[in-house]
C-alpha cells in the first residue's frame, strides 16, 4: 500500500522538524496511540489501537527514525504486530519552507500489512490509511497552532 | 428335453435411479456432523494463534499472560510439539520437516504458532491476544519463479534449496520423434492455486487417555486411511493406540478434508498436554488461509508434430508449487496423472521433467480432480494451439490422435492401462448434443455482429481409484527397491445379519455427501433379494471396529470402481451362507437356491421357500443345526483390491488408477469486450462412467464437478501479495460460483463398462473439475484470438486480454 500527501503548516521548517521528533507530541497526535516510549537512539515503542472494518485490535509498534535530515525531514520505519496481523513499512517526511513561518510538509508511505487484517480488510485499507494520515496531520496542525 | 425349473430372479437395483437414502435426515436437520457430537465429558475448547507473517523466525513465545487468564488450561507451542512428537513423513527424499505447528520458523500466513486450551472457545480466543510472540521477518518466497532462483532464501534450511524434489522420465524414442517432427509446438502455462470450500469446515474432538497412552480422535476426516499410519507414527504410538472415529455425516470435502490430519495431530497433542479432551472447530477465516488447496503449477510443453496434426511425442516440464511444506500425500498432485500424462491420445513417446518447489504459501493437498486440472490445462491448451499453428480443424487434430475404440485396453507410454472407452463416439455424441454446426454458425453470426464469441473443446481421461503405489514413482528406482513394493487399492466392507435378520452394512469410506449409503443398499438389496429400505448402512468409520485398509476413504473417486465391488463381494459371501443353510433345510443343492423377495427359494418349489430372517435366526439361535463346519452368526467381511494395479516397474511405468473414464466438453461463450464478462451460451459434457450404478447420483456428481471446475475457470484463486500476505481471506475476495452463476449443463453418456472390475463402474465426480477450466480457456482463446490465457478468467483479466 503506497500513498502520499502534503499539508501546509504554520511555523518554520526547523520548528516543525523538532515537533515531529517530540515523543509526547507524537503520542498525542498519532491516532489510537498509547504508551509511547522513547527507547533512545531515535527508537520508540508504542501500543496502537487500530482497525479496518471488522478487524480491530492492539498492535505493538516499533518506530525508528532513519535518514535524518535536520529541518528537511526523515524516514520513519514502522513495524507493528498484534491480534489483527502485522504492519510494516516506512513513511518519508520532507519539509520545505513555503513562506516565512510556513512549511510545506510532504509525506509518502509504503506500508504492507499481513495476517487477518490483509485477509479481511485489504479492500478497505487504502481508505483507512488515508483517514489515519489525515487525522494525524490535522492533530499536528492543531498542536502546532496551540503552541 | 427337460425344462429346467423356473428361477426366481431378485429385483434389479443396480443402475436404478434410487433417491438418496441419506436425504430425509439431512433435509430435516437431523444429520449428525462433527460439531453435533459430544463424546467425552469435560471437553475443553481450542483456539489457534496463527502467523501473521509469510516467512519469519520465531524469536520467542511468551504465554505467561495467557496462562493466568481464568479458564485457560494449557498453551501448546511448536517447541513442545517437537519434543513430544515426530514430523510427518512425506513421499520425497529431501528432509522437509513438517509438524502440525510452526517450529522455530513460520512459513506461511495462517500457520499455527500456539494452541490455547480453555474452558470454552470464548476464553480460548481471548487468551490468544495475551500470547506475545516475537518474530524476525525473513525474505518471503512467493512465486514459483522466485523459488527456482538460486538465491531465493530456502524455506527449509536443512534442505538448502526451495527445489525440494526433481526427477526426469523418458518413455519411448523421444529424441527420434523430435528429430522426425515437421513442426515443434511449444507453449508455457501457469495454473492458479485454488481450493475447495465445503460448507462444513474442519473439526476435531480428541482425547488422550493417560492410563493407556492412547488417543481417540473424532474428526470429519475423509481418508485416505494410510494417513492413520502416518499420524500414529507422528504421535509416537503404535496404530492400535490411535483410534480415529469419523462422524456419520460430513458436510462436503472435495479432497480438502484429507489434509485435516495435521490438525488431528495438533489437537490430540493439545489434549495430551492439557489432560482434558479438546474440541476444535475451524472457522471460515482459518479454513480459507490454513486448510489446504491444490498446487499452482508452471508447465512447459513441447509437442513434436507432423503437418497433418499427428503428435509424435511430448516433452513436459512441470514445476509444482506445494507451498510451505511437502505434506503427505504430496507429491501426489504431480504424480497422480503421471501414468496418464498423454491423456486421451495415442502419443507413443513422452519425456517428463518434474520439480517440486516450496514457497511461503498454504501447503497443498487433495482437491477434486487432484492434479488433473493442472495437467489438462497444459495438454488441452496445447492441442488447441497445435491446431491453430498448423491451420487445421481442431476436431481433425483431436480425432487423429484420440485412442481408437479397438485399441482398448490401451497401454499409455508412462504406464496407465486405459481399460475401456469409445472416445470417438463420445466426441461425436458431444458434437451432436451441442449441435456443433449450429454452434459454429452462431459463433460466426455473433462475430459478424462485432461480438467476441468462441468455442472451446477438451477431451480428458478421468482416472478413478488411485493405486497405493503410484506416489512411489517419485522415488528413484534404487530407493524404491529398498522398501516393499506398493501396489493395489483395497477397500473393505462388513455385512452383518442380526438374529432378527436385520441387515447392517459397515463401510470404511467416510463419505462426505456422495450417497454411498444409497448405492450400497442398492447393491446389497439386489444381491440378497431383500427390500431396499430394510438395509441399514453405517458410514461412520471407527478404526478400532470398522473394516478398513490403507486405501480406505473417499478420494480419487474410488467408491464406484473399488468400494462398490467390496460391497458386492461381502453381500455374495452372505448370500452364499444363507443359500447354504437353506439348501440343507430344503435338502437341495446350494445352486438351486435363489434369494429374492426376502426369501430363499428352492428352484421350482416356491412352497418350500424360507424367509431370510428365519435363516439368520437359525445361524444365531441354533448353531448346532448349521451345515457341518459352518461358523455361527452372519457376519461377513470382504476385502477387494483391483488386480490391474501393479507396483511401478523398473522402467518407471505405473498404472496409477484402477479404471479410466472419459469426458468430452464443448462450450460456446461470448466475451463482453466492454466489461470483460464471460457469458456461457451452451455447455455440453459427455461422460464415460462405465456401468452406471445410480443415474441420479451420477448426475449430481457431474453437476458438482462442473460447478467446481467453473469456479476454477472464472473465479477462484488464492491471491498472495509480494510479501506473501493472503489477500483472498474471505468469501468477499475468494469468489465461488453460486447457483446464479452456473449456466445450464447438457449431459450425455457413452458408457463402456470396465473389463477389469466385476461391476465395471468408473468414478465420475472429478472429470468436470479437470475439463471445465481448460474448456473455458480454449473458448476464450478462440473468442479473442490470443494464446496466453491465465486462469481464473475474471472480468478484469479478460478485459485486459481484449486490450492487447
Amino acid at each position: 500500500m503506497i500513498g502520499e500527501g502534503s499539508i501546509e503548516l504554520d511555523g518554520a521548517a526547523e520548528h516543525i522538524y523538532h515537533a515531529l521528533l517530540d515523543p509526547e507530541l507524537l503520542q498525542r497526535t498519532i491516532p489510537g496511540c498509547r504508551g509511547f516510549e522513547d527507547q533512545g537512539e531515535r527508537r520508540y515503542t508504542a501500543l496502537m489501537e487500530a482497525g479496518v472494518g471488522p478487524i480491530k485490535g492492539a498492535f505493538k509498534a516499533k518506530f525508528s527514525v532513519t535518514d535524518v535530515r535536520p529541518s528537511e525531514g526523515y524516514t520513519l520505519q514502522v513495524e507493528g504486530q498484534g491480534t489483527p496481523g502485522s504492519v510494516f513499512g516506512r513513511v518519508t517526511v520532507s519539509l520545505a519552507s513555503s513562506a516565512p513561518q510556513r512549511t510545506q510538509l510532504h509525506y509518502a508511505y509504503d506500508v504492507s500489512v499481513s495476517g487477518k487484517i490483509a485477509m479481511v480488510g485489504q479492500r478497505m485499507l487504502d481508505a483507512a490509511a488515508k483517514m489515519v494520515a489525515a487525522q494525524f496531520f490535522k492533530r499536528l496542525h492543531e498542536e502546532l497552532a496551540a503552541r | 428335453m427337460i425344462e429346467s425349473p423356473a428361477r426366481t430372479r431378485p429385483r434389479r437395483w443396480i443402475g436404478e435411479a434410487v433417491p438418496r437414502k441419506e436425504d430425509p435426515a439431512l433435509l430435516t436437520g437431523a444429520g449428525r456432523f462433527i460439531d453435533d457430537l459430544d463424546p467425552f465429558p469435560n471437553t475443553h475448547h481450542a483456539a489457534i494463534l496463527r502467523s501473521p507473517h509469510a516467512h519469519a523466525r520465531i524469536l520467542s513465545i511468551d504465554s505467561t499472560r495467557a496462562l493466568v487468564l481464568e479458564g485457560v488450561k494449557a498453551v501448546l507451542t511448536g517447541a513442545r510439539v517437537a519434543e513430544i512428537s515426530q514430523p510427518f513423513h512425506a513421499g520425497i527424499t529431501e528432509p522437509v520437516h513438517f509438524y502440525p505447528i510452526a517450529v522455530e520458523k513460520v512459513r506461511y500466513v495462517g500457520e499455527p504458532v500456539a494452541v490455547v486450551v480453555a474452558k470454552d472457545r470464548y476464553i480460548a480466543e481471548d487468551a490468544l491476544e495475551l500470547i506475545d510472540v516475537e518474530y524476525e521477518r525473513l525474505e518471503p518466497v512467493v512465486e514459483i519463479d522466485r523459488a527456482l532462483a538460486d538465491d531465493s532464501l530456502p524455506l527449509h534450511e536443512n534442505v538448502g534449496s526451495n527445489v525440494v524434489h526433481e526427477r526426469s522420465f523418458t518413455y519411448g524414442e523421444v529424441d527420434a520423434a523430435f528429430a522426425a517432427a515437421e513442426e515443434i509446438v511449444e507453449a508455457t502455462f501457469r495454473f492458479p492455486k485454488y481450493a475447495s470450500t465445503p460448507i462444513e469446515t474442519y473439526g476435531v474432538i480428541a482425547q488422550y487417555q493417560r492410563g493407556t497412552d492412547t488417543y481417540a480422535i473424532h474428526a470429519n476426516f475423509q481418508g485416505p486411511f494410510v494417513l492413520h499410519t502416518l499420524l500414529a507414527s507422528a504421535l509416537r504410538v503404535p496404530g492400535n493406540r490411535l483410534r480415529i472415529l469419523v462422524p456419520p455425516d460430513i458436510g462436503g470435502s472435495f479432497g480438502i478434508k484429507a489434509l485435516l490430519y495435521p490438525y488431528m495431530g495438533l489437537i490430540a497433542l493439545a489434549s495430551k498436554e492439557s489432560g482434558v479432551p479438546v474440541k476444535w472447530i475451524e472457522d471460515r477465516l482459518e479454513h480459507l488461509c490454513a486448510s489446504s488447496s491444490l498446487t499452482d503449477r508452471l508447465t512447459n510443453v513441447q509437442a513434436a508434430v507432423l503437418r497433418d496434426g499427428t503428435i509424435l511425442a511430448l516433452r513436459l516440464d512441470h514445476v509444482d508449487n506445494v507451498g510451505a511444506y511437502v505434506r503427505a500425500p504430496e507429491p501426489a498432485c504431480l504424480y497422480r496423472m503421471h501414468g496418464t500424462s498423454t491423456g486421451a491420445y495415442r502419443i507413443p513417446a513422452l519425456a517428463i521433467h518434474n520439480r517440486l518447489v516450496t514457497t511461503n504459501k498454504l501447503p497443498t493437498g487433495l482437491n477434486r480432480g487432484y492434479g488433473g486440472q493442472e495437467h489438462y490445462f497444459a495438454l488441452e491448451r496445447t492441442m488447441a494451439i497445435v491446431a491453430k499453428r498448423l491451420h487445421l480443424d481442431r476436431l481433425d487434430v483431436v480425432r487423429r490422435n484420440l485412442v481408437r475404440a479397438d485399441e482398448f485396453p490401451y497401454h499409455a507410454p508412462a504406464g496407465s492401462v486405459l481399460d475401456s472407452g469409445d472416445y470417438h463416439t463420445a466426441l461425436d455424441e458431444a458434437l451432436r448434443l451441442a449441435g456443433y454446426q449450429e454452434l459454429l454458425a452462431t459463433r460466426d453470426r455473433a462475430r459478424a455482429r462485432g461480438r467476441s464469441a468462441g468455442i472451446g473443446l477438451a477431451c480428458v481421461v478421468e482416472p478413478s481409484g488411485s493405486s497405493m503405489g503410484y506416489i512411489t514413482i517419485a522415488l528413484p528406482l534404487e530407493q524404491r527397491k529398498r522398501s516393499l513394493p506398493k501396489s493395489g487399492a483395497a477397500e473393505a466392507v462388513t455385512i452383518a445379519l442380526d438374529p432378527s435378520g436385520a441387515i447392517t452394512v459397515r463401510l470404511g469410506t467416510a463419505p462426505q455427501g456422495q450417497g454411498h449409503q444409497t448405492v450400497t443398499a442398492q447393491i446389497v438389496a439386489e444381491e440378497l433379494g431383500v427390500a431396499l429400505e430394510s438395509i441399514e448402512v453405517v458410514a461412520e468409520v471407527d478404526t478400532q471396529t470398522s473394516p478398513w485398509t490403507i486405501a480406505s476413504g473417499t478420494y480419487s473417486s474410488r467408491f464406484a470402481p473399488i468400494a462398490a465391488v467390496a460391497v458386492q463381494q461381502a453381500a455374495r459371501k452372505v448370500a452364499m451362507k444363507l443359500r447354504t443353510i437353506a439348501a440343507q433345510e430344503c435338502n437341495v443343492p446350494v445352486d438351486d437356491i435363489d434369494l429374492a423377495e426376502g426369501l430363499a427359494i428352492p428352484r421350482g418349489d416356491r412352497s418350500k421357500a424360507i424367509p431370510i430372517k428365519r435363516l439368520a435366526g437359525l445361524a444365531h439361535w441354533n448353531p448346532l443345526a448349521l451345515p457341518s463346519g459352518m461358523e455361527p452368526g452372519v457376519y461377513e467381511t470382504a476385502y477387494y483390491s483391483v488386480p490391474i494395479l501393479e507396483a511401478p516397474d523398473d522402467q518407471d511405468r505405473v498404472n496409477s488408477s484402477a479404471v479410466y473414464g472419459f469426458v468430452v466438453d464443448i462450450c460456446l461463450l461470448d466475451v463482453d469486450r466492454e466489461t470483460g464478462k464471460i457469458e456461457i451460451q451452451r455447455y455440453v459434457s459427455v461422460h464415460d462412467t462405465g456401468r452406471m450404478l445410480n443415474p441420479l447420483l451420477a448426475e449430481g456428481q457431474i453437476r458438482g464437478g462442473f460447478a467446481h471446475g467453473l469456479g476454477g475457470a472464472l473465479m477462484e484463486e488464492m491471491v498472495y501479495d509480494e510479501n506473501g500476505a493472503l489477500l483472498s481471506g474471505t468469501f468477499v475476495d475468494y469468489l465461488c460460483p453460486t447457483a446464479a452463476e452456473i449456466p445450464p449443463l447438457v449431459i450425455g453418456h457413452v458408457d463402456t463398462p470396465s473389463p477389469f472390475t466385476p461391476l465395471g463402474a468408473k468414478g465420475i465426480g472429478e472429470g468436470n473439475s479437470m475439463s471445465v477450466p481448460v474448456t473455458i480457456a480454449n473458448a476464450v482463446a478462440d473468442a479473442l484470438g490470443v494464446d496466453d490465457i491465465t486462469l481464473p478468467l475474471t472480468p478484469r483479466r479478460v478485459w485486459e486480454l481484449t486490450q492487447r
Side-chain angles (χ1 to χ4, degrees), chain B residues 14-87:
Chain B
I14 301 170
E16 293 288 303
V18 174
R20 282 160 45 94
K21 212 174 155 59
E22 295 87 342
D23 284 347
L26 293 174
L27 295 177
T28 55
R32 286 168 299 150
F33 297 90
I34 182 74
D35 199 24
D36 298 319
L37 305 185
D38 192 7
F40 309 118
N42 193 30
T43 295
H44 281 52
H45 297 263
I48 299 174
L49 183 69
R50 295 177 181 276
S51 169
H53 298 292
H55 199 184
R57 198 170 299 289
I58 299 171
L59 300 177
S60 66
I61 303 177
D62 184 353
S63 313
T64 323
R65 293 192 300 138
L67 282 166
V68 296
L69 185 69
E70 195 182 332
V72 171
K73 195 91 184 170
V75 177
L76 180 65
T77 62
R80 182 68 181 141
V81 167
E83 279 170 22
I84 59 176
S85 70
Q86 302 280 121

Side-chain angles (χ1 to χ4, degrees), chain B residues 20 57 144 247 345 407 425 474 535 661 767 775 804:
Chain B
R20 282 160 45 94
R57 198 170 299 289
I144 286 176
Y345 307 111
E407 292 176 306
T425 303
I535 297 160
T775 302
R804 293 253 180 105

Side-chain angles (χ1 to χ4, degrees), chain B residues 181-508:
Chain B
E182 292 170 342
E183 300 268 354
I184 291 170
V185 176
E186 179 169 5
T188 298
F189 306 97
R190 286 175 190 277
F191 198 86
K193 181 183 184 77
Y194 61 88
S196 309
T197 45
I199 292 175
E200 182 200 36
T201 58
Y202 288 177
V204 181
I205 310 167
Q207 184 188 37
Y208 175 71
Q209 285 141 343
R210 196 163 48 85
T212 50
D213 187 29
T214 56
Y215 293 93
I217 304 174
H218 292 260
N220 50 3
F221 174 63
Q222 65 162 89
F225 278 82
V226 63
L227 295 170
H228 174 277
T229 311
L230 201 79
L231 185 54
S233 126
L235 293 172
R236 294 181 179 156
V237 288
N240 56 7
R241 287 202 241 139
L242 168 61
R243 182 178 189 183
I244 295 176
L245 302 107
V246 177
D249 292 303
I250 296 181
S253 175
F254 320 105
I256 208 164
K257 281 174 182 156
L259 276 298
L260 176 56
Y261 75 89
Y263 288 105
M264 290 156 71
L266 186 60
I267 301 303
L269 292 170
S271 171
K272 183 174 188 175
E273 276 299 279
S274 60
V276 289
V278 179
K279 178 173 185 173
W280 169 72
I281 302 292
E282 184 191 47
D283 71 27
R284 184 58 65 182
L285 291 174
E286 294 180 291
H287 188 75
L288 285 171
C289 75
S291 59
S292 187
S293 77
L294 53 70
T295 60
D296 48 316
R297 184 179 295 177
L298 174 65
T299 306
N300 180 271
V301 181
Q302 289 180 14
V305 297
L306 298 179
R307 279 193 201 99
D308 67 2
T310 304
I311 297 177
L312 303 175
L314 292 175
R315 287 196 180 117
L316 306 175
D317 188 301
H318 297 130
V319 187
D320 219 22
N321 180 4
V322 289
Y325 299 89
V326 186
R327 302 190 302 195
E330 298 292 14
C333 191
L334 193 49
Y335 287 96
R336 177 163 180 251
M337 296 305 298
H338 186 89
T340 326
S341 291
T342 42
Y345 307 111
R346 43 208 298 282
I347 302 172
L350 171 71
I352 301 173
H353 178 217
N354 280 342
R355 279 172 290 175
L356 214 63
V357 294
T358 48
T359 60
N360 295 112
K361 290 184 179 180
L362 171 64
T364 58
L366 281 63
N367 194 296
R368 195 174 201 159
Y370 200 26
Q373 45 273 66
E374 293 98 323
H375 183 73
Y376 288 118
F377 186 75
L379 185 62
E380 291 300 292
R381 283 289 302 124
T382 299
M383 293 303 286
I385 293 169
V386 164
K388 189 177 161 188
R389 298 268 165 87
L390 299 175
H391 305 289
L392 296 172
D393 184 334
R394 172 83 207 272
L395 289 178
D396 289 345
V397 174
V398 169
R399 284 201 179 102
R400 187 174 292 281
N401 290 288
L402 280 179
V403 175
R404 294 191 303 250
D406 60 6
E407 292 176 306
F408 291 95
Y410 175 79
H411 290 255
S416 284
V417 183
L418 306 184
D419 48 336
S420 63
D422 188 346
Y423 297 171
H424 288 86
T425 303
L427 175 61
D428 289 343
E429 175 67 359
L431 296 171
R432 186 186 70 79
L433 287 173
Y436 191 65
Q437 289 311 316
E438 180 52 30
L439 219 58
L440 289 173
T442 307
R443 177 187 69 177
D444 296 343
R445 279 198 302 275
R447 285 179 177 176
R449 291 200 309 271
R451 307 197 55 167
S452 296
I455 294 175
L457 168 74
C459 298
V460 316
V461 171
E462 178 182 0
S464 54
S466 57
S467 88
M468 296 318 285
Y470 81 88
I471 303 170
T472 61
I473 203 89
L475 301 173
L477 180 62
E478 61 273 19
Q479 210 170 337
R480 253 190 347 254
K481 294 242 172 195
R482 265 181 246 145
S483 53
L484 281 173
K486 295 185 175 67
S487 70
E491 188 52 270
V493 172
T494 297
I495 302 179
L497 270 62
D498 75 4
S500 72
I503 302 166
T504 303
V505 187
R506 183 126 207 199
L507 299 175

